């Protein structure tokens, strides 16, 4: 058993309090390999941003939980070596059981999500409360979720949205003791967040998805003022990356994300953690596809993973500076 404090990590409590007061959001970037971790740390050190390193259960299976934990510890040391001791949280994304959350806490995670959003309300409350009791005894912060996001990924999938019911949030927060709450206001997981027929076209012919339900967010904020809110499924699916992927043999169809101006707007409210995974996947894939296609004689992985890491870093810096607003908040 190891405490995250020995690893140089922090929990999310103080970061969220500052983010709400300052009108910005902390980036929560998923990672499962070294290049992603390096790009996240480089981007956040250069922009002087706090950061949440996020590990899904799929990532844990892919990379091995022990390796990921040592990588997070490495991230702390790497940031210092790059010249800035930025606050780094190691967070379990979409934990689906008490046992998984406990195992991560025992391994050095400083924050966990228990996602009981697909359970009946009372079961979600009971499971979340159990995780909170264990986590708080170790000074680890807990994210719960109410409402279901549409979208399909490895371990996280649902056909349709169920928007968060604002009338439930106060009771949920009170009964469970969670430190933050993920809500469903129209974001969704993956690169295909909307069907083209749900969108309208702007003057330039670009598809514009239906706006996020800011009315639900406002109602939630009214009921739990100043309480940290989390947005999952917040990739914007950059169309230049989609175009590069498709130009070099990819087959991404109808890839549509959340417009960045809406996320910037949300970050100014009680939304203090914004989850981004798919955009990183797209940037990495675009870089690798371009290099594979334009430099067919290349066979040293460093020659395509190195540039992929650069593309990722550029993307993360853009998110921190122009979307989350967390630059210079470390
Ligand atoms: O919300 C889910 C994350 O993007 C992780 O996805 O389960 O494919 O690792 P994953
Ligand atoms: P995206 O698929 O929009 O990047 O969402 C990631 C996420 O919510 C991780 O929990
Ligand atoms: Zn998510």
């Amino acid at each position: 058993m190891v405490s995250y404090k020995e690893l140089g990590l922090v929990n999310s409590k103080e970061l969220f309090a500052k983010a709400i007061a300052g009108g910005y959001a902390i980036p929560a970037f998923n990672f499962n390999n070294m290049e992603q971790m390096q790009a996240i740390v480089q981007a956040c050190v250069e922009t002087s941003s706090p950061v949440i390193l996020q590990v899904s259960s799929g990532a844990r299976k892919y990379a091995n939980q022990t390796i990921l934990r040592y990588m997070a510890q490495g991230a702390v040391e790497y940031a210092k070596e790059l010249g800035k001791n930025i606050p780094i949280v190691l967070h379990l994304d979409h934990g689906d059981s008490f046992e998984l959350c406990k195992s991560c806490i025992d391994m050095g995670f400083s924050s966990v999500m228990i996602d009981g959003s697909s359970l009946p309300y009372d079961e979600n409350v009971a499971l979340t409360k159990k995780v909170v009791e264990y986590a708080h005894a170790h000074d680890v912060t807990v994210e719960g979720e109410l409402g279901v996001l549409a979208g399909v990924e490895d371990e996280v999938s649902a056909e349709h949205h169920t928007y968060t019911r604002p009338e439930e949030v106060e009771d949920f927060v009170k009964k469970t003791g969670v430190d933050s709450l993920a809500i469903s206001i129209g974001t969704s997981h993956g690169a295909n967040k909307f069907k083209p027929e749900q969108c309208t076209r702007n003057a330039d012919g670009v598809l514009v998805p239906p706006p996020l339900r800011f009315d639900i967010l406002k109602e939630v904020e009214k009921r739990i003022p100043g309480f940290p809110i989390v947005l999952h499924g917040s990739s914007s699916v950059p169309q230049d990356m989609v175009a590069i992927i498709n130009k070099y043999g990819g087959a991404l169809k109808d890839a549509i994300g959340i417009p960045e101006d809406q996320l910037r707007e949300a970050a100014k409210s009680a939304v203090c953690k914004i989850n981004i995974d798919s955009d990183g996947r797209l940037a990495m894939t675009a870089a690798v596809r371009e290099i594979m296609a334009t430099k067919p004689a290349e066979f040293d992985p460093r020659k395509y993973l190195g540039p992929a890491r650069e593309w990722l870093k550029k993307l993360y810096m853009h998110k921190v500076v122009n979307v989350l607003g967390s630059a210079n908040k470390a």
Side-chain angles (χ1 to χ4, degrees):
M1 170 128 188
V2 59
S3 164
Y4 67 87
K5 292 175 189 171
E6 293 163 42
L7 310 181
L9 299 160
V10 297
N11 70 23
S12 62
K13 202 153 192 80
E14 199 184 318
L15 300 191
F16 286 172
K18 284 186 184 164
I20 293 182
Y24 61 93
I26 312 289
F29 297 133
N30 290 68
F31 84 110
N32 53 59
N33 66 49
M34 184 187 75
E35 284 76 11
Q36 289 171 324
M37 184 275 276
Q38 290 172 319
I40 295 168
V41 174
Q42 290 171 8
C44 293
V45 163
E46 275 186 40
T47 55
S48 203
S49 171
V51 69
I52 298 172
L53 286 172
Q54 238 171 211
V55 174
S56 70
S57 56
R60 204 166 159 269
K61 274 187 212 145
Y62 172 80
N64 176 279
Q65 60 164 344
T66 308
I67 291 177
L68 289 175
R69 196 271 274 170
Y70 279 107
M71 280 171 71
Q73 188 176 0
V76 172
E77 298 307 319
Y78 183 42
K80 284 188 212 157
E81 197 181 305
L82 292 176
K84 184 105 203 177
N85 195 6
I86 54 170
I88 300 181
V89 175
L90 178 61
H91 176 78
L92 169 67
D93 193 22
H94 294 283
D96 60 356
S97 68
F98 172 78
E99 291 70 27
L100 174 58
C101 292
K102 178 179 181 303
S103 161
C104 287
I105 293 165
D106 293 349
M107 276 226 105
F109 280 59
S110 59
S111 177
V112 293
M113 174 188 195
I114 178 67
D115 182 357
S117 60
S118 58
L119 299 172
Y121 180 79
D122 288 340
E123 287 175 39
N124 187 1
V125 168
L127 176 61
T128 305
K129 186 168 185 282
K130 188 173 171 191
V131 171
V132 168
E133 277 164 8
Y134 188 79
H136 283 182
H138 297 82
D139 210 10
V140 165
T141 37
V142 180
E143 174 184 327
E145 178 162 348
L146 277 176
V148 179
L149 273 68
V152 180
E153 281 176 272
D154 266 11
E155 307 281 330
V156 186
S157 75
E159 282 258 315
H160 304 288
H161 292 290
T162 310
Y163 293 116
T164 302
R165 291 156 46 88
E167 55 274 30
E168 287 179 348
V169 297
E170 200 181 344
D171 183 67
F172 186 82
V173 163
K174 211 187 289 165
K175 281 188 179 148
T176 59
V178 277
D179 303 283
S180 61
L181 182 67
I183 62 169
S184 172
I185 58 166
T187 61
S188 72
H189 291 114
N192 296 82
K193 299 187 190 300
F194 304 97
K195 301 215 164 30
E197 50 273 26
Q198 291 174 278
C199 304
T200 50
R201 280 194 192 275
N202 70 13
D204 303 321
V206 178
L207 285 173
V208 181
L212 296 180
R213 292 287 305 270
F214 282 98
D215 56 321
I216 298 178
L217 173 60
K218 285 214 173 71
E219 195 54 39
V220 166
E221 285 188 276
K222 222 189 278 170
R223 289 171 192 254
I224 43 173
F227 192 81
I229 300 299
V230 177
L231 284 190
H232 282 247
S234 297
S235 278
S236 296
V237 188
Q239 292 303 302
D240 51 345
M241 295 296 138
V242 174
I244 293 170
I245 291 171
N246 286 341
K247 177 176 173 191
Y248 294 112
L252 292 179
K253 213 173 159 277
D254 300 337
I256 304 168
I258 312 293
E260 288 185 337
D261 57 339
Q262 291 192 36
L263 296 168
R264 182 71 205 100
E265 198 51 44
K268 290 180 188 155
S269 70
V271 169
C272 60
K273 171 175 179 272
I274 292 189
N275 288 9
I276 297 171
D277 187 357
S278 299
D279 283 357
R281 298 178 182 194
L282 291 167
M284 243 185 145
T285 302
V288 171
R289 275 196 177 276
E290 185 177 272
I291 291 159
M292 293 284 181
T294 56
K295 298 182 177 161
E298 214 48 89
F299 67 98
D300 178 346
R302 292 172 295 186
K303 296 285 164 50
Y304 48 86
L305 294 178
R309 184 174 59 194
E310 279 305 309
W311 287 38
L312 260 184
K313 177 184 169 187
K314 201 170 149 223
L315 170 90
Y316 292 139
M317 288 180 74
H318 162 69
K319 296 288 178 184
V320 163
V321 173
N322 302 314
V323 186
L324 289 294
S326 62
N328 300 315
K329 308 292 185 188

